[in-house]
């Protein structure tokens, strides 16, 4: 399990921006399908977490972009979550805030896009580690069927993260 950034799992409420479809005409159908699949994945997480979808990307801690991730170690993937620290001023002094950019490739079928978004959003919401079980949304290797729901293990990992005090060195996860 990769280390979780300090304080990250403690967030109670998330503002998420999902790239809108630029083309309102018939040729924008793929953009709208991509967005529909991403919003479905977001709604699944929304049953576990308080999530607000925002129109202004500057207000968001998680930004979902319709873009193929760049090659990593010469390997292509359909999704990636990139953590960065940004300086923000929210009615007080400037402070550093984590922000996650989630790249979801448009070049897949709707179910695969939704499964990819469910997995990468899990990273964004603090589940930076992977499961070795193919039926989990957070599986390291996607199984033959796209996972569109959170498994009991995914939900247990999320609850475990939410109970952590946000230490710099998180304790080891419990054994299943
Ligand atoms: Zn992953």
């Amino acid at each position: 399990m990769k280390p979780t950034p300090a304080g990250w799992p403690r967030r109670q409420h998330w503002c998420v921006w999902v790239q809108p479809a630029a083309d309102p005409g018939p040729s924008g159908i793929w953009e709208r399908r991509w967005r529909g699949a991403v919003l479905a994945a977001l709604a699944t997480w929304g049953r576990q977490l308080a999530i607000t979808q925002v129109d202004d990307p500057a207000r968001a801690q998680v930004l979902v972009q319709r873009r193929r991730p760049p090659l990593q170690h010469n390997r292509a993937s359909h999704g990636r979550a990139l953590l960065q620290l940004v300086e923000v001023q929210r009615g007080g002094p400037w402070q550093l805030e984590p922000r996650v950019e989630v790249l979801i490739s448009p070049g897949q079928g709707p179910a695969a896009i939704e499964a990819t978004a469910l997995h990468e959003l899990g990273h964004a919401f603090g589940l930076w580690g992977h499961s070795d079980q193919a039926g989990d949304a957070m599986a390291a290797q996607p199984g033959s069927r796209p996972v569109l729901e959170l498994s009991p293990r995914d939900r247990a990992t999320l609850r475990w993260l939410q109970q952590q005090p946000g230490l710099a060195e998180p304790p080891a996860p419990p054994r299943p």
Side-chain angles (χ1 to χ4, degrees):
M1 181 153 174
K2 284 186 225 165
T4 298
W8 188 246
R10 296 264 298 182
R11 182 170 285 284
Q12 297 298 314
H13 180 252
W14 299 88
C15 290
V16 179
W17 175 85
V18 179
Q19 184 172 352
D23 180 355
S27 58
I29 185 166
W30 299 110
E31 295 179 356
R32 291 194 293 279
R33 277 189 188 161
W34 175 91
R35 187 173 157 86
V38 170
L39 292 181
L42 193 59
T44 301
W45 280 110
R47 290 194 277 279
Q48 309 295 325
L49 294 164
I51 295 169
T52 303
Q53 204 192 313
V54 295
D55 295 330
D56 178 5
R59 282 189 56 208
Q61 293 98 29
V62 177
L63 297 97
V64 188
Q65 316 257 18
R66 188 177 59 246
R67 200 183 333 148
R68 177 177 289 280
L71 291 178
Q72 196 175 41
H73 312 301
N74 266 332
R75 288 179 57 187
S77 62
H78 287 294
R80 191 161 306 149
L82 305 159
L83 173 67
Q84 49 198 339
L85 285 172
V86 291
E87 265 194 296
V88 292
Q89 191 179 26
R90 301 195 190 278
W94 287 91
Q95 52 189 334
L96 280 175
E97 197 178 88
R99 180 170 295 176
V100 181
E101 194 180 22
V102 177
L103 308 180
I104 305 292
S105 169
Q108 311 179 84
I113 291 174
E114 183 177 337
T116 304
L118 193 67
H119 178 98
E120 299 301 331
L121 283 168
H123 288 320
F125 296 139
L127 281 73
W128 291 98
H130 282 126
S131 154
D132 56 6
Q133 308 279 326
D136 294 342
M138 299 315 294
Q141 300 291 333
S144 49
R145 279 187 305 175
V147 177
L148 304 181
E149 292 295 333
L150 300 174
S151 70
R153 256 187 312 269
D154 290 319
R155 293 197 297 272
T157 307
L158 181 67
R159 276 196 301 279
W160 174 81
L161 272 175
Q162 288 173 323
Q163 287 159 6
Q164 298 310 305
L167 303 171
E169 286 286 322
R175 299 267 157 211

